[in-house]
Amino acid sequence: MEGTIITSHSLAELCENYFTLRHFSVGSYNTSVCNAGSVSTTVARYIDRAYDLLSSPSTAEALSRVAAVFEVVRAGVLVPLLKVAVVLCLIMSVMLVIEKLSMAIIALYVKVFRRTPEKIYKWAPLSQDPELGSLSHPMVLIQIPMFNEREVYQISIGAVCKLVWPHDRLIIQVLDDSTDLSTRELVQEECQKWSNKGRNIHYISRDNRNGYKAGAMKEAMDLDYVKKCDYVAIFDADHEPPPDFLLRAIPFLMHNSDIALVQARWKFVNANECIMTRIQEMSLNYHFKMEQQSGSSTMAFFGFNGTAGVWRIQAINEAEGWKERTTVEDMDLAVRASLQGWKFVYIGDLKVKSELPSSYKAYRYQQHRWSCGPANLFKKMTIDIIMAKKVSLLKKLFLLYNFFFARRIISHNVTFLFYCIVIPFSSFFPEVIIPKWGVFYIPTVITILNSIGTPRSLHLIIIWIFFENVMSLHRCKAVFIGLFEAGRVNEWVVTEKLGKALKTKQVSTAAKRSPNKFWQRFLFLELGMAVVLLICALYNFIYRSNQYFIFIFPLSLSYLLMGFGFVGTHIPAAK
């Protein structure tokens, strides 16, 4: 039945046959229900009237006209539009796979030839000079921004206070924007506890959240005692640096005057919490092992991850400090510092423990911010990048095309538009032919490249594919919100952390005792996509021979499962 097209004549014939059968069934139905009472008689009367209306010549003629108009629109608009979409998606797919292959080749080269940062840049351990004592160590500022982080505040504060570094050469700022007063008291008590142990720790709170994280760090950098610091390390509340973090990172900054940032890698303490955290681990391992590594090794540039990094304060000042114009203040600062000629270093074997969001709601908010912010920053910084005078044309091209366009715009759009829209809807249009290399070979290469960063999770690769396709809906939407600066462009929702509850299993136990109301778990956008994809899969299975339904059916099931909330850890709503 490949290539079947419903014309206006065949539609009218089908309607006539339907009405004939319907009249017979309705007549029989009316005979039986009229004896049941007045209510049944009324229902039967309405059915008869509806039948008379639909079977009237004027209605049949109107349906025929609608079918004829649809046929014209289909042939003149929908088919050409879908063909153009196929071409654009294939072009974007080729761009994306070339980008990923290039990053993989660079990362492989670094690994095979052991091109570690210590071999590329000057690095030497800090010498212990008895005469200078602690003065041989530079002054370092550490900032820990947080917002209602009741479950994790002790993790970062405790780890930072245990760093191996002279206490008189270290200043710690806990930037607490919490609106929950009891949480503020707990954080303040924790700071006081470490202050009593001899740590130079400052608790700083604000009566507003202006600028969110960037606003808090910017205001804290203006304090007088910060002027005597050379470097600033930043850790989110759930991050736990190893004791030797500063001893390994600071020498890069001390011995290389052109380096502005040293970025460490994240290690996830709750990767085994559920399937969703395992999938996140796969995606983020790829980000660090491929994107960050390749950027550091070739262009000495990558996006600052917002935490687990050390900045040269001079570079921050030259880049005009923290700005609050987007929700990715970390990437904003990194791009501006790079345009001033500064270099960045990524240390892949320096790992900082952190937590992955284990609830689907928290993950969606995080991904919205991570997708919307870069798109919005791309729009705002394109002219600045083009007009920059301190960087080469090659680096400008890298920033505009590789860093922003291919990785932050193309990747999110092609995943959703091609695999969730164009391929499924092509089932209704036999005139639209998608080459096998675009449907099968390119996605296979991309999938393999994304999976090699986490070998232990190779058996989850099929689940990863469908999970990422569902998440592409939110990422694609976020990209357009960022580009067009729509309503949620500056939405900042702090990613929910579980912290101590992960160790005690309080979350899963509480969820069993006090489950959420079932309708609160429904996500209607995902459920709507599930229905649409199911229709596409059924039509492809019945009428087409290209067997796209093998992919579309499980994709619709993935949207359905995530739409009903059967993903991640469920946290009962506060009463």
Side-chain angles (χ1 to χ4, degrees), residues 515-529:
N516 287 342
K517 296 178 181 178
F518 71 94
W519 63 82
Q520 294 177 341
R521 293 169 56 173
F522 288 178
L523 302 168
F524 294 102
L525 191 58
E526 281 88 340
L527 292 176
M529 280 296 300

Side-chain angles (χ1 to χ4, degrees), residues 90-364:
L90 288 175
I91 292 173
M92 289 192 293
S93 297
V94 171
M95 293 167 62
L96 184 60
V97 76
I98 291 175
E99 179 68 18
K100 288 185 175 291
L101 279 171
S102 64
M103 289 190 292
I105 291 171
I106 294 168
L108 180 62
Y109 170 80
V110 171
K111 188 173 183 65
V112 170
F113 293 96
R114 299 181 180 180
R115 296 290 294 167
T116 61
E118 289 83 359
K119 291 183 178 180
I120 299 174
Y121 298 98
K122 294 179 182 178
W123 188 93
L126 292 174
S127 59
Q128 300 294 330
D129 191 329
E131 294 184 2
L132 292 176
S134 63
L135 293 178
S136 61
H137 293 66
M139 284 291 294
V140 178
L141 173 71
I142 295 183
Q143 292 185 325
I144 310 175
M146 58 179 64
F147 175 75
N148 292 337
E149 310 276 7
R150 176 184 290 267
E151 298 291 346
V152 295
Y153 71 94
Q154 290 178 314
I155 295 176
S156 54
I157 295 176
V160 164
C161 290
K162 294 176 184 176
L163 288 173
V164 179
W165 201 259
H167 298 164
D168 61 331
R169 308 297 290 172
L170 190 66
I171 301 176
I172 303 169
Q173 290 180 330
V174 177
L175 313 178
D176 187 13
D177 275 1
S178 299
T179 53
D180 181 67
L181 296 181
S182 61
T183 300
R184 282 197 175 197
E185 292 177 0
L186 290 172
V187 175
Q188 212 164 357
E189 289 174 2
E190 184 71 11
C191 292
Q192 186 60 49
K193 181 185 79 173
W194 285 103
S195 178
N196 294 339
K197 293 182 179 181
R199 304 303 189 272
N200 188 1
I201 185 168
H202 301 259
Y203 175 82
I204 302 172
S205 63
R206 303 188 298 169
D207 57 3
N208 60 73
R209 291 195 68 205
N210 294 340
Y212 302 111
K213 179 179 176 180
M217 291 189 293
K218 181 179 180 180
E219 291 183 21
M221 290 286 288
D222 292 335
L223 297 174
D224 290 337
Y225 59 78
V226 174
K227 294 178 182 178
K228 56 186 177 181
C229 296
D230 301 304
Y231 313 109
V232 54
I234 301 168
F235 300 100
D236 283 347
D238 63 309
H239 279 63
E240 185 179 357
D244 65 343
F245 179 88
L246 294 178
L247 293 177
R248 294 194 58 191
I250 293 295
F252 283 105
L253 297 164
M254 292 179 62
H255 300 302
N256 302 273
S257 59
D258 55 349
I259 291 179
L261 169 67
V262 177
Q263 174 71 60
R265 181 181 158 191
W266 298 354
K267 180 181 179 180
F268 311 108
V269 297
N270 64 328
N272 296 323
E273 181 72 11
C274 59
I275 294 293
M276 193 183 80
T277 52
R278 288 288 294 273
I279 292 171
Q280 289 179 71
E281 180 191 34
M282 293 173 67
S283 298
L284 285 171
N285 279 348
Y286 173 83
H287 164 71
F288 282 105
K289 292 183 178 182
M290 301 294 177
E291 291 186 29
Q292 303 297 74
Q293 183 65 74
S294 61
S296 176
S297 302
T298 55
M299 306 303 297
F301 171 80
F302 48 83
F304 174 43
N305 292 116
T307 178
V310 187
W311 277 92
R312 187 186 300 273
I313 294 179
Q314 178 189 349
I316 295 178
N317 294 333
E318 287 186 9
E320 301 179 358
W322 296 103
K323 291 189 177 181
E324 311 129 25
R325 56 182 176 174
T326 70
T327 56
V328 283
E329 75 294 324
D330 43 15
M331 184 182 292
D332 189 351
L333 176 61
V335 174
R336 285 184 283 112
S338 179
L339 294 180
Q340 295 296 319
W342 291 99
K343 295 181 178 180
F344 302 164
V345 176
Y346 166 70
I347 311 177
D349 59 353
L350 179 56
K351 301 176 183 179
V352 176
K353 294 180 181 179
S354 64
E355 180 183 329
L356 293 164
S358 56
S359 74
Y360 183 51
K361 178 181 177 182
Y363 186 58
R364 278 172 52 214

Side-chain angles (χ1 to χ4, degrees), residues 402-470:
N402 302 83
F403 183 73
F404 276 117
F405 190 65
R407 303 178 193 175
R408 270 80 193 176
I409 308 297
I410 292 297
S411 61
H412 299 324
N413 283 333
V414 72
T415 304
F416 176 69
L417 296 177
F418 194 31
Y419 303 112
C420 300
I421 300 294
V422 172
I423 291 177
F425 274 85
S426 69
S427 301
F428 299 108
F429 302 90
E431 306 93 329
V432 178
I433 299 174
I434 306 175
K436 185 181 292 185
W437 60 265
V439 176
F440 179 75
Y441 296 123
I442 284 184
T444 300
V445 172
I446 292 174
T447 300
I448 292 173
L449 291 175
N450 276 277
S451 62
I452 56 178
T454 314
R456 78 183 189 102
S457 297
L458 282 174
H459 63 290
L460 299 174
I461 194 63
I462 300 299
I463 298 176
W464 176 86
I465 291 172
F466 292 111
F467 181 85
E468 286 296 298
N469 272 275
V470 175

Side-chain angles (χ1 to χ4, degrees), residues 449-518:
L449 291 175
N450 276 277
S451 62
I452 56 178
T454 314
R456 78 183 189 102
S457 297
L458 282 174
H459 63 290
L460 299 174
I461 194 63
I462 300 299
I463 298 176
W464 176 86
I465 291 172
F466 292 111
F467 181 85
E468 286 296 298
N469 272 275
V470 175
M471 287 308 303
S472 70
L473 165 66
H474 298 284
R475 293 175 183 141
C476 182
K477 181 180 67 172
V479 165
F480 283 103
I481 289 175
L483 289 175
F484 294 101
E485 298 190 324
R488 294 178 60 195
V489 66
N490 289 318
E491 180 184 65
W492 181 288
V493 178
V494 175
T495 306
E496 190 174 29
K497 318 283 191 334
L498 301 183
K500 294 177 290 185
L502 290 171
K503 299 178 181 179
T504 61
K505 301 296 181 183
Q506 294 172 0
V507 173
S508 57
T509 304
K512 292 178 181 178
R513 291 198 307 265
S514 178
N516 287 342
K517 296 178 181 178
F518 71 94

